[in-house]
């Protein structure tokens, strides 16, 4: 049954227990704040956003749904590309396989944004378009940067923490190429996240 739901070697890992598959603890609100404060000033590069949008769903590290102008809008974060989470069905893309770290990153992002929310309220974030023009990808997702209420750039934070490489397949950042390149260099030197031999 597991082999039908999960591609190998994930079926074996699940058979042995999810505790061994996902051993890392999820961050609490204090750890989330600590993660933001540990970032260099370059990650807190925006003024606090004037308009905040309710987060409806955190799909994974680089895909988020928000409520905007009365509609749910799917966001695809620019300049990042986190690994794919384990979806529970046969892998569709041989070039972008699901990974344990992708699942871990998705869980981390979900908890990160949940910790941003005020009690009884949804988390809210701002949006930033580097060239002041809204673009969508082939799947209809709105391409943007997510800006936290304190002005931190979440896209840049993902690279700084080693959750994602600086994804410039479609070109360098129109906003801050040097900042993304430097963040990736620091993450690699510190062997964080995807750059860790253990990962």
């Amino acid at each position: 049954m597991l082999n039908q739901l999960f591609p190998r070697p994930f079926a074996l890992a699940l058979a042995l227990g999810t505790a061994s598959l996902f051993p890392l603890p999820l961050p609490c609100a204090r750890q989330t704040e600590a993660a933001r404060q540990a970032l260099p000033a370059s990650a807190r590069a925006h003024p606090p956003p004037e308009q905040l949008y309710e987060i409806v769903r955190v799909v994974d590290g680089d895909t988020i749904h928000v409520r905007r102008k009365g509609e749910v809008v799917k966001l695809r974060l620019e300049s990042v590309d986190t690994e794919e989470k384990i979806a529970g069905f046969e892998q569709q893309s041989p070039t972008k396989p699901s990974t344990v770290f992708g699942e871990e990153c998705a869980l981390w992002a979900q908890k990160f944004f949940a910790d941003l929310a005020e009690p009884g309220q949804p988390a809210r974030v701002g949006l930033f378009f580097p060239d002041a023009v809204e673009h969508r990808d082939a799947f209809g997702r709105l391409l943007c940067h997510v800006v936290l209420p304190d002005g931190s750039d979440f896209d840049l934070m993902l690279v700084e923490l080693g959750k994602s490489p600086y994804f410039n397949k479609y070109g360098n950042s129109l906003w801050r190429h040097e900042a993304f390149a430097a963040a990736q260099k620091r993450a690699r030197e510190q062997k964080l996240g995807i750059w860790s031999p253990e990962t």
Side-chain angles (χ1 to χ4, degrees):
M1 179 65 177
L2 284 173
N3 287 332
Q4 295 172 348
L5 294 176
F6 294 93
R8 296 182 182 186
F10 300 117
L12 176 61
L14 288 174
L16 295 176
T18 56
S20 62
L21 184 63
F22 308 118
L24 298 178
L26 293 174
C28 65
R30 185 168 52 192
Q31 290 171 316
T32 300
E33 178 61 25
R36 291 207 305 275
Q37 294 301 321
L39 296 175
S42 61
R44 295 188 292 276
H46 303 278
E50 295 180 4
Q51 180 69 50
L52 296 175
Y53 302 97
E54 172 189 339
I55 292 182
V56 176
R57 181 186 176 200
V58 178
V59 178
D60 54 30
D62 59 33
T63 306
I64 299 170
H65 299 177
V66 299
R67 193 174 308 281
R68 187 177 186 231
K69 300 178 182 177
E71 297 182 355
V72 175
V73 178
K74 298 178 182 180
L75 309 179
R76 174 59 169 88
L77 279 58
E78 290 191 309
S79 299
V80 295
D81 189 34
T82 59
E83 296 191 9
E84 298 298 312
K85 66 180 182 178
I86 299 172
F89 51 81
E90 192 66 29
Q91 179 62 44
Q92 299 296 314
S93 173
T95 61
K96 191 80 189 295
S98 301
T99 69
V100 172
F101 188 74
E103 183 73 18
E104 176 192 316
C105 186
L107 294 172
W108 174 86
Q110 291 164 3
K111 189 67 166 63
F112 182 93
F113 286 109
D115 288 342
L116 286 180
E118 297 293 332
Q121 299 292 324
R124 299 178 187 276
V125 294
L127 307 182
F128 173 69
F129 305 96
D131 58 357
V133 178
E134 296 185 12
H135 302 282
R136 293 181 183 269
D137 68 5
F139 302 101
R141 297 175 298 185
L142 188 62
L143 300 171
C144 66
H145 287 243
V146 163
V147 182
L148 305 183
D150 68 354
S152 297
D153 189 285
F154 183 72
D155 304 35
L156 185 54
M157 179 185 295
L158 288 174
V159 177
E160 189 75 46
L161 297 178
K163 306 291 184 185
S164 169
Y166 172 26
F167 187 65
N168 58 356
K169 178 179 178 180
Y170 303 113
N172 292 335
S173 170
L174 297 176
W175 172 55
R176 299 190 68 198
H177 164 67
E178 293 80 7
F180 274 97
Q184 177 169 266
K185 183 175 184 290
R186 286 189 292 269
R188 293 186 73 165
E189 290 173 345
Q190 297 173 43
K191 295 181 171 59
L192 300 178
I194 58 173
W195 309 112
S196 167
E198 293 182 1
T199 302

